[in-house]
Amino acid sequence: MKNILYLLTILSTQFLFSQSNEIKARIEFEDAEKYFSESNYNEALNHLNNAQKLIGSWNHKISYMKIMCFDAIVNYNDWDQSIENLNKEVQLYMAYADNNSNKVDTDKFRQVYSIEEKIKNSKNIKDNKRKIDEWFKMEENIEGRKAFKNGEYNLAFKYFKKAVDKGNGLSMEAIGYLYRYGYGVEKNYFTALEWYNKAIENGHSLCYQYIGDLYYSGFKDFNKNDQEAYKWYLKAAESGENASKYNIAEMAFMGVGTSQNYNEAFLWHKKAAENGYIYSYAKLGTCFLEGYGVNKNLTEAFNWYKQGADAGDPSAMVGLANLYYGGLGVTENYAEGEFWIKKAGDNANKEDQFEIGKFFLETLNNAKLAIKYMEAAISRGYNINDNRVLADAYFKDQQYIKALEAYIIAFNNGNTNTKYAISNIYKNGLGVPKDKKIAKEWENK
């Protein structure tokens, strides 16, 4: 009898201890949810691990939260222990889902399934990086790149060919590059395509993207084919290439090579951005600003533009400036707006630089800065087809002689409406002697 009472006492104590741990685990889980909502993912993980220890076994709700935390903090472009941990947790969750489909929330499963795909892409990137690192260090490849850098393209070809004979996929890509741009050989997209395909057969998936480039641009008998370009970019994107994710998103957004689909555009830009591709940040900002493929959210628009601007993308800087000027998703602040638009102008390529100049003229009514950025773009080789906008900037800044010259160039290039501006300059003697006869002649042209 005493033994039975003793056993009952032990079982009762264990039951109370189990109940106590369950309550503690619930508290830890609630704390984890709080830290997760505050984007403090590492602290959330600490509490989730505590909760699991208290329960004493794996739990699918805790596992799902851990997966979401890992997903928020890992860098999918750099395979490390955190991705190993995430992969282990995902496999446990998927195994549970296979055996308990009625207990798993479909939306949560969809999220975990998407993360599983990201892990697969990350592994492909890791494997490709390892291969590329080995190929890069091959002596023949190194000598080929030295020769190419020195402009000795024939010698570079010979070295790359020797590396190719040893199975070097990076040198196969290099020979494709020589044919694509005509370095030391006659430019030939068909031959470039052959070499890129050889590289792919040897596991160099980046060449999917380069084949997409060939079809997107076309050259001579190699016809431009947007559908083929999309197909190859998609293969590259699915293998983890961020630039191709961006390309796929832009083609879906514009309906080039595929049907127009804002939802697809948003999702591919999001995938690229999640892997650190900074040029997708501004695109996501625009999606949230305008409601392309996602509900409008000015706060999200600001966050994405700000991330892109901080990372150095001029397009994001322009988007951020626009939000500051309009008080969209942030308190209106003209000083901040001007700071970011100037920074964009100083860092943009020549095409964007000219557009920023137009923005200063047409939106901010600042002719001096408009001239600064448009002239800078032209000095870098920007091909200005219609000088009207530059002429307007000169006129507004009272540089009438330059305005007159630019208006005449615009007229000769087909913008005949500039004749009225030219007539006005002569009629009022702006920078030139008044001459009503010449003014009338221009007006009647």
Side-chain angles (χ1 to χ4, degrees):
M1 184 67 180
K2 286 182 179 180
N3 289 338
I4 292 173
L5 289 172
Y6 178 69
L7 180 60
L8 288 172
T9 301
I10 291 173
L11 291 173
S12 176
T13 303
Q14 287 178 339
F15 177 72
L16 290 172
F17 181 73
S18 175
Q19 281 189 316
S20 173
N21 278 356
E22 187 177 328
I23 294 169
K24 290 177 182 177
R26 197 179 304 134
I27 291 170
E28 291 286 350
F29 188 82
E30 288 172 358
D31 286 345
E33 288 182 313
K34 179 179 80 73
Y35 283 113
F36 184 88
S37 68
E38 296 170 354
S39 300
N40 191 340
Y41 305 114
N42 286 311
E43 191 60 35
L45 278 170
N46 288 336
H47 286 279
L48 290 168
N49 288 330
N50 290 341
Q52 190 162 316
K53 286 178 185 176
L54 287 164
I55 291 174
S57 61
W58 185 89
N59 176 278
H60 75 280
K61 291 183 179 179
I62 292 175
S63 179
Y64 169 77
M65 279 290 291
K66 287 172 78 172
I67 290 168
M68 292 300 105
C69 288
F70 279 125
D71 180 56
I73 60 179
V74 300
N75 177 3
Y76 285 99
N77 284 326
D78 186 16
W79 189 283
D80 60 10
Q81 188 59 47
S82 62
I83 299 183
E84 294 278 4
N85 294 338
L86 171 60
N87 187 38
K88 180 181 177 182
E89 203 63 57
V90 165
Q91 296 313 308
L92 289 170
Y93 187 92
M94 296 305 259
Y96 174 83
D98 285 342
N99 297 316
N100 301 273
S101 57
N102 61 321
K103 296 181 181 179
V104 175
D105 180 86
T106 304
D107 289 335
K108 290 181 178 179
F109 179 84
R110 185 179 286 112
Q111 286 178 293
V112 177
Y113 177 64
S114 174
I115 291 169
E116 185 180 44
E117 291 301 303
K118 287 198 282 186
I119 293 170
K120 288 178 183 176
N121 287 337
S122 182
K123 190 174 187 307
N124 287 336
I125 292 170
K126 180 189 76 167
D127 293 342
N128 284 338
K129 281 181 177 179
R130 179 183 55 77
K131 281 184 185 177
I132 288 171
D133 188 53
E134 291 173 1
W135 289 336
F136 188 81
K137 292 175 181 176
M138 188 179 290
E139 183 180 353
E140 292 84 353
N141 180 71
I142 292 171
E143 291 302 318
R145 291 178 186 278
K146 283 181 183 177
F148 181 86
K149 188 175 181 180
N150 293 331
E152 300 174 274
Y153 303 126
N154 291 329
L155 182 61
F157 187 98
K158 290 177 182 177
Y159 276 118
F160 288 139
K161 187 63 174 64
K162 287 180 180 179
V164 163
D165 292 341
K166 295 182 178 181
N168 191 310
L170 200 59
S171 289
M172 294 173 193
E173 175 212 319
I175 293 177
Y177 184 88
L178 295 179
Y179 278 105
R180 178 179 174 183
Y181 293 103
Y183 289 114
V185 294
E186 185 178 351
K187 185 174 179 176
N188 189 317
Y189 272 25
F190 291 102
T191 309
L193 177 63
E194 289 175 13
W195 281 104
Y196 286 149
N197 270 317
K198 286 179 183 179
I200 289 169
E201 288 169 7
N202 278 268
H204 190 19
S205 61
L206 178 60
C207 289
Y208 286 131
Q209 180 174 309
Y210 297 148
I211 293 176
D213 291 340
L214 295 179
Y215 282 110
Y216 191 76
S217 62
F219 178 73
K220 290 187 176 179
D221 294 338
F222 193 101
N223 296 325
K224 175 178 169 65
N225 188 323
D226 291 333
Q227 287 76 22
E228 278 295 304
Y230 182 88
K231 182 182 82 174
W232 287 98
Y233 283 143
L234 183 60
K235 287 184 178 184
E238 289 173 342
S239 70
E241 297 300 333
N242 285 327
S244 284
K245 293 173 189 175
Y246 177 94
N247 291 341
I248 285 291
E250 287 298 278
M251 293 177 83
F253 187 89
M254 296 181 289
V256 175
T258 185
S259 56
Q260 188 176 55
N261 189 323
Y262 291 146
N263 291 329
E264 279 293 302
F266 174 80
L267 289 173
W268 278 110
H269 274 309
K270 193 164 188 296
K271 287 178 180 180
E274 286 172 344
N275 279 303
Y277 195 71
I278 66 170
Y279 301 109
S280 281
Y281 296 167
K283 299 296 182 178
L284 286 177
T286 301
C287 286
F288 279 111
L289 178 65
E290 303 293 346
Y292 293 130
V294 67
N295 292 330
K296 285 186 179 183
N297 187 321
L298 295 180
T299 301
E300 280 294 311
F302 176 84
N303 290 338
W304 283 109
Y305 279 135
K306 185 67 166 63
Q307 283 189 64
D310 288 340
D313 177 21
S315 296
M317 295 174 192
V318 172
L320 185 61
N322 183 50
L323 297 187
Y324 275 118
Y325 284 128
L328 303 171
V330 66
T331 304
E332 185 179 285
N333 189 324
Y334 269 62
E336 275 295 305
E338 188 165 340
F339 167 80
W340 283 110
I341 199 70
K342 283 182 179 177
K343 192 167 183 178
D346 292 336
N347 289 278
N349 60 39
K350 60 190 178 185
E351 290 79 15
D352 288 341
Q353 201 167 42
F354 193 86
E355 291 301 313
I356 288 167
K358 287 172 65 176
F359 182 84
F360 270 108
L361 180 68
E362 297 166 358
T363 304
L364 302 182
N365 200 28
N366 188 325
K368 288 191 183 299
L369 286 176
I371 292 166
K372 172 187 172 182
Y373 291 115
M374 285 191 279
E375 285 185 340
I378 292 167
S379 71
R380 294 168 64 192
Y382 178 74
N383 184 19
I384 178 170
N385 295 318
D386 182 1
N387 283 51
R388 175 65 191 254
V389 66
L390 179 60
D392 287 343
Y394 284 137
F395 188 88
K396 190 177 286 290
D397 198 41
Q398 298 183 7
Q399 298 186 47
Y400 298 121
I401 297 298
K402 285 188 174 182
L404 178 62
E405 292 171 351
Y407 281 133
I408 291 172
I409 292 171
F411 180 88
N412 291 334
N413 285 338
N415 190 339
T416 55
N417 286 330
T418 58
K419 65 182 183 180
Y420 300 111
I422 297 168
S423 174
N424 179 57
I425 288 174
Y426 279 109
K427 186 186 293 184
N428 293 290
L430 301 173
V432 295
K434 278 187 181 183
D435 195 320
K436 292 185 178 180
K437 182 182 177 182
I438 295 177
K440 194 68 175 176
E441 287 174 356
W442 272 104
E443 194 174 324
N444 291 332
K445 284 191 179 186

